[in-house]
């Protein structure tokens, strides 16, 4: 019996489960924690295992190895705050106020990081916001097989006025071309936005800006009926439904021919009317009132475009005093085969029109052999004029 007592006294006392759960949980200074196996021993059916005697004053070295100091987890690579994580884009902007045009020259990109390893085929896509996505969408050519592409290509927005510069923003996206490698369409590698109110007219400004991630937000179903609009709800939604586009007209009263020359030069940022997000636009001209002479003209149709270029001219014979009492109605339509054409927008030029339309009309008839060109915004309300 004495021997058994001695053996039991040589063993370390067993620790109950309640004591296990209460170890080192009391508040106080931080101490090195022992190995977890010291507190939760393994039991084997064929061997006898005893808990080792815990040293109340453990050495410093084992404590350091057994309880390494916790380090903060590094942030994921995609969420890094490093501004150059997605690369940079170099470009130049020039607002040509004399010709009502905005020129964007995409020079090059550096340090692009595509999602897949290896080379990448990239291009630059530009949009004016707010506005219809495809109406103001321009893109460069695709440069293949490099993470530092060089484009040196200029994208031009015609019909860009001082009012547009004060309220619009240019969005530039560096995109991967999925057609060349038979991949699905992927989100842009990066994008940036430039408020155009900072531009000085007729003065070029160069940029070297870091690309950022694009945040995609699905547009509510209530706006899905507006065909051709962007699928992403951002600040371009506000005025996208209000703009119908604009048209560039030239007026000249020819003293030699004895009549008015009306030139339909081009349209810009037209509203999309087809399901594919584009239109097949053409322009109709009507001089009211009709006195029996030919007063209706129509341009040719430009297929699948929202920025058509016509460069067609039409002639209305008559003295200057008689033309001053008439009204010229210019309307833009979307051609539909087999169904009625869709009205896109129109503009009315007369001495009673008011604003720039009246100024353009009166100034043209007040001069001879002087061609005047001016951009006119399109009105979405059809004008009904009887013959």
């Amino acid at each position: 019996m004495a021997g058994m007592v001695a053996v039991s006294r040589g063993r370390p006392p067993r620790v109950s489960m309640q004591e296990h759960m209460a170890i080192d949980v009391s508040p106080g200074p931080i101490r090195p924690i022992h190995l977890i196996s010291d507190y939760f021993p393994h039991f084997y059916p064929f061997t006898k295992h005893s808990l080792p005697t815990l040293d109340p004053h453990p050495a410093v070295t084992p404590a350091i190895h057994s309880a390494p100091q916790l380090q903060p987890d590094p942030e994921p690579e995609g969420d890094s705050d490093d501004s150059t994580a997605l690369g940079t884009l170099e470009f130049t902007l020039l607002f040509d106020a004399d010709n009502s045009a905005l020129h964007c020259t995409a020079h090059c990109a550096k340090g692009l990081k595509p999602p897949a390893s290896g080379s990448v085929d990239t291009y630059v896509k530009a949009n004016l916001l707010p506005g219809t996505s495809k109406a103001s969408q321009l893109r460069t050519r695709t440069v293949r097989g490099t993470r530092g592409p060089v484009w040196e290509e200029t994208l031009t927005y015609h019909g860009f006025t001082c009012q547009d510069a004060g309220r619009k923003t240019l969005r530039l996206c560096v995109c991967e071309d999925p057609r060349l490698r038979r991949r699905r369409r992927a989100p842009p590698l990066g994008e940036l936005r430039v408020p155009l109110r900072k531009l000085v007219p007729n003065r070029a400004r160069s940029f070297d800006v870091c690309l950022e991630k694009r945040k995609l937000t699905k547009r509510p179903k209530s706006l899905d009926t507006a065909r051709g609009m962007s699928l992403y709800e951002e600040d371009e939604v506000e005025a996208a439904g209000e703009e119908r586009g604009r048209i560039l007209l030239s007026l000249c009263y020819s003293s030699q021919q004895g009549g008015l020359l009306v030139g339909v030069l081009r349209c810009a940022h037209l509203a999309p009317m087809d399901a594919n997000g584009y239109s097949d636009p053409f322009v109709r001209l009507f001089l009211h009132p009709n006195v029996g002479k030919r007063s209706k003209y129509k341009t040719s149709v430009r297929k699948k475009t929202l920025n058509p270029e016509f460069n067609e001219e039409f002639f209305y014979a008559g003295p200057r005093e008689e033309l001053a009492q008439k009204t010229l109605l210019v309307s833009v339509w979307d051609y539909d085969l087999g169904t009625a054409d869709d009205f896109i927008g129109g503009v009315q030029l007369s001495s009673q029109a008011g604003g720039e339309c009246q100024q353009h009309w009166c100034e043209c008839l007040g001069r001879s052999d002087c061609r005047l060109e001016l951009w006119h915004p399109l009105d979405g309300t059809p004008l009904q004029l009887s013959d």
Side-chain angles (χ1 to χ4, degrees):
M1 180 66 66
M4 296 178 60
V5 174
V7 173
S8 61
R9 290 181 179 176
R11 295 180 181 177
R14 292 186 177 275
V15 183
S16 63
M17 182 58 65
Q18 290 78 3
E19 293 175 340
H20 283 315
M21 303 303 295
I23 294 177
D24 288 343
V25 296
S26 59
I30 300 176
R31 302 175 184 176
I33 302 176
H34 306 291
L35 292 176
I36 195 66
S37 59
D38 295 341
Y39 301 104
F40 296 90
H42 300 279
F43 296 94
Y44 301 94
F46 303 105
T47 59
K48 294 183 178 180
H49 183 76
S50 60
L51 290 174
T53 304
L54 301 181
D55 188 1
H57 302 285
V60 178
T61 303
I64 295 178
H65 289 290
S66 61
Q69 201 172 19
L70 296 178
Q71 298 293 336
D73 295 334
E75 296 183 355
E77 184 178 354
D79 298 335
S80 175
D81 293 336
D82 188 5
S83 59
T84 61
L86 300 179
T88 60
L89 178 64
E90 297 181 9
F91 60 97
T92 300
L93 297 180
L94 172 61
F95 173 31
D96 187 359
D98 299 334
N99 298 316
S100 300
L102 174 66
H103 304 283
C104 174
T105 303
H107 299 296
C108 63
K110 299 179 181 179
L112 297 180
K113 293 183 174 55
S117 59
S119 59
V120 62
D121 308 326
T122 55
Y123 64 93
V124 176
K125 181 176 64 175
N127 289 95
L128 284 178
L129 306 179
T132 308
S133 176
K134 290 187 178 181
S136 64
Q137 179 174 305
L138 300 176
R139 58 161 291 177
T140 65
R141 71 182 191 280
T142 300
V143 177
R144 302 192 58 179
T146 178
R147 297 190 180 187
V150 178
W151 295 283
E152 294 297 341
E153 186 173 349
T154 300
L155 307 176
T156 301
Y157 286 100
H158 297 280
F160 188 83
T161 62
C162 295
Q163 291 78 9
D164 295 330
R167 66 184 184 90
K168 286 186 177 291
T169 299
L170 179 65
R171 179 174 64 188
L172 297 177
C173 302
V174 179
C175 305
E176 183 178 4
D177 197 335
R179 298 174 297 176
L180 301 181
R181 297 184 180 273
R182 297 181 180 179
R183 298 174 180 171
R184 295 182 178 180
R185 184 177 299 275
L189 301 179
E191 74 164 27
L192 56 89
R193 302 191 180 196
V194 180
L196 299 177
R197 63 178 179 272
K198 300 180 180 180
L199 296 181
V200 178
N202 302 321
R203 181 182 301 176
R205 182 176 178 181
S206 298
F207 297 84
D208 186 1
V209 186
C210 299
L211 298 173
E212 301 176 354
K213 284 187 177 181
R214 182 181 184 183
K215 297 181 180 179
L216 305 182
T217 305
K218 193 64 181 291
R219 185 182 299 277
K221 294 183 179 180
S222 59
L223 298 178
D224 289 345
T225 55
R227 296 175 295 180
M229 296 177 67
S230 174
L231 293 178
Y232 309 107
E233 183 182 15
E234 299 180 31
D235 40 359
E236 68 265 25
V237 179
E238 299 176 1
E242 302 176 1
E243 295 186 355
R244 309 295 294 182
R246 55 196 64 183
I247 185 171
L248 178 60
L249 299 174
S250 67
L251 300 178
C252 177
Y253 184 81
S254 176
S255 58
Q256 298 180 356
Q257 303 181 29
L260 178 65
L261 293 173
V262 180
V264 181
L265 303 183
R266 67 191 312 149
C267 296
H269 311 159
L270 295 180
M273 306 302 293
D274 295 338
N276 58 4
Y278 294 95
S279 295
D280 302 324
F282 67 96
V283 180
R284 290 175 178 171
L285 301 177
F286 176 50
L287 187 63
H288 178 80
N290 186 8
V291 294
K293 299 180 181 180
R294 185 175 181 180
S295 60
K296 295 183 180 180
Y297 292 100
K298 183 174 67 173
T299 67
S300 57
V301 178
R302 296 293 186 266
K303 292 290 186 179
K304 196 178 179 182
T305 178
L306 299 177
N307 299 278
E309 186 174 356
F310 299 100
N311 292 324
E312 300 183 25
E313 195 171 56
F314 306 94
F315 178 73
Y316 289 102
R320 185 178 307 173
E321 294 76 12
E322 181 181 337
L323 292 174
Q325 304 300 323
K326 295 181 179 296
T327 299
L328 179 64
L329 176 63
V330 182
S331 57
V332 184
W333 298 77
D334 170 49
Y335 174 78
D336 290 330
L337 181 63
T339 59
D341 299 329
D342 298 324
F343 177 76
I344 298 179
V347 59
Q348 181 178 353
L349 303 179
S350 67
S351 57
Q352 293 83 25
E356 293 184 348
C357 296
Q358 178 183 6
Q359 181 181 358
H360 193 193
W361 183 258
C362 296
E363 188 174 355
C364 164
L365 297 178
R367 302 181 184 181
S368 297
D369 305 322
C370 180
R371 186 180 302 274
L372 302 177
E373 297 181 359
L374 188 64
W375 285 93
H376 295 278
L378 297 177
D379 187 4
T381 303
L383 301 177
Q384 301 293 337
L385 296 177
S386 60
D387 294 340

